[in-house]
Amino acid sequence: MDRSRSADRRAGDHRPALFVRVLESRLVGRVPPVVMARLGGLLGADADGVVRLLTGQGRIGWYRGDRWLTRSQADRIAALDDRHVIAVGRAVHAADGGDRDISRRVLEIIRAVAPGRRPSIVDGVMAGTEPATAVLSESVLDLLPRERRQLEVRRMLRLRGVRADADLTARLHAYLPFPEARRKLGPLTSAWDVDQRMLGYWLLIRSAGRTGDPHVFADALDNLDRLGTEQDRVRRWVVSALGLVPLRMFHHSRGRRADQDPG
C-alpha cells in the first residue's frame, strides 16, 4: 500500500495529467488532502479534469486549517473561465449545506476573482435559489462591485423580513450612497441606548470609508462631535471602526485639521 501511494505521489509530481485521469477513474469518496496540496500544479496540467474531479458527488470534504485553499490555489481556480469557477463554487456550496447564503469557503474563491467577474460568479453559484428573496451576507456584499452591491441592498430592503429587523436594516443602509446612509444612521449616534449609538458610529464610519473619497470621509469625521462626551466603550468601538479604513482616506482629513488648527 505504501509503495502504491509513493507511486501515486511520483505520478502527481512528474505526470500530473496522468495522475488526474487516474484519480478520476479510481478515486472513491472525497479528494484527499495530499491531492488538494498539489491542486495548483494539477490545474495547470488538466484544468477540465481537476474541475470534474472536484465537482463529483461527495468529492469535497473538510480539511484542517482556517483556509481550505492557499492563496495561490484560490488564484489558480479564479484564473479558470467562469463556467469552471461556478462549477467548483457550486460543489463547495453544496458540500457546505447549500443554504441561501454563500459559505466562507466559496468566498475564498470569489475573493480571488477579479471584481468585474464576481457578479456572474455569485449568480452562478446561487442559481437554483430564489434570487428575489435571497439575503446576502455582508461578506458577500463586500466583494461585489459598488453598483451591483447597492442594487442588492435596495432589493433586500424591500423584503418584509429585512424591514422587521432594525439592526439588519441599519447595516444594509451603510452600503448605500453616503448621503442616504447618513440620513438613516446619523440618528442612531444620538440614541438613548448605548448599543445603538455604538452601531450608528460603526456603520457611519464604515459607510464613509467605503466611498473611497477622503473628502467625504473627512466630513464624516467632522460631524462626530458628540464623541468627546461619549462613554469609553463607544470611543473604543469608533477606534476599531477607524482601524478598518484604508490609511489613504485619512490624508485629506489630517491636512484639513492642520489648516483649521494652526500652531
Side-chain angles (χ1 to χ4, degrees):
M1 182 63 73
D2 289 342
R3 187 175 300 171
S4 174
R5 288 178 179 173
S6 177
D8 283 347
R9 290 193 182 96
R10 287 197 300 273
D13 291 337
H14 303 297
R15 302 181 65 186
L18 173 61
F19 185 49
V20 172
R21 292 198 295 274
V22 170
L23 288 170
E24 282 193 85
S25 62
R26 296 185 184 178
L27 183 65
V28 177
R30 74 171 190 167
V31 178
V34 67
V35 175
M36 294 300 296
R38 291 168 166 76
L39 192 62
L42 297 177
L43 280 167
D46 184 1
D48 288 340
V50 173
V51 170
R52 287 193 300 269
L53 183 67
L54 292 176
T55 57
Q57 183 67 31
R59 292 297 199 205
I60 293 179
W62 288 96
Y63 306 94
R64 292 182 179 178
D66 293 334
R67 296 178 61 92
W68 78 289
L69 296 172
T70 65
R71 190 176 302 276
S72 63
Q73 288 169 342
D75 288 342
R76 292 299 292 268
I77 292 176
L80 303 174
D81 62 36
D82 285 6
R83 175 175 56 91
H84 282 150
V85 177
I86 289 169
V88 175
R90 286 180 64 82
V92 178
H93 185 58
D96 290 347
D99 60 18
R100 294 197 301 171
D101 197 8
I102 293 180
S103 70
R104 176 181 59 82
R105 296 202 297 176
V106 180
L107 288 176
E108 289 182 23
I109 297 173
I110 297 174
R111 190 174 291 112
V113 173
R117 296 173 58 203
R118 290 173 185 170
S120 63
I121 302 299
V122 170
D123 290 343
V125 171
M126 298 296 286
T129 63
E130 179 49 61
T133 59
V135 178
L136 301 180
S137 68
E138 292 180 63
S139 297
V140 177
L141 292 174
D142 285 338
L143 294 180
L144 293 175
R146 182 179 302 170
E147 183 176 351
R148 173 61 183 272
R149 183 169 62 217
Q150 292 177 358
L151 285 173
E152 292 290 352
V153 166
R154 294 188 192 284
R155 175 189 60 78
M156 288 188 285
L157 286 171
R158 292 192 293 268
L159 299 176
R160 181 180 302 175
V162 171
R163 293 199 307 269
D165 186 331
D167 283 359
L168 177 56
T169 298
R171 289 181 179 279
L172 290 176
H173 271 86
Y175 287 96
L176 294 177
F178 188 67
E180 292 182 65
R182 182 159 50 188
R183 285 196 296 271
K184 174 67 177 181
L185 302 175
L188 289 180
T189 63
S190 57
W192 176 83
D193 182 78
V194 65
D195 290 331
Q196 288 295 293
R197 297 200 304 275
M198 291 167 65
L199 179 65
Y201 282 119
W202 175 275
L203 294 178
L204 268 177
I205 291 169
R206 297 290 286 140
S207 179
R210 288 189 187 103
T211 68
D213 186 335
H215 295 80
V216 171
F217 184 66
D219 287 339
L221 294 186
D222 285 344
N223 289 321
L224 300 183
D225 48 8
R226 297 190 195 91
L227 274 176
T229 59
E230 268 293 1
Q231 298 180 26
D232 285 346
R233 62 175 175 146
V234 175
R235 290 198 291 267
R236 285 195 295 268
W237 198 248
V238 168
V239 170
S240 297
L242 291 172
L244 297 176
V245 177
L247 284 176
R248 63 180 179 80
M249 296 290 286
F250 291 87
H251 292 167
H252 178 76
S253 59
R254 183 174 58 191
R256 191 161 74 176
R257 292 291 184 187
D259 292 340
Q260 293 175 347
D261 302 318

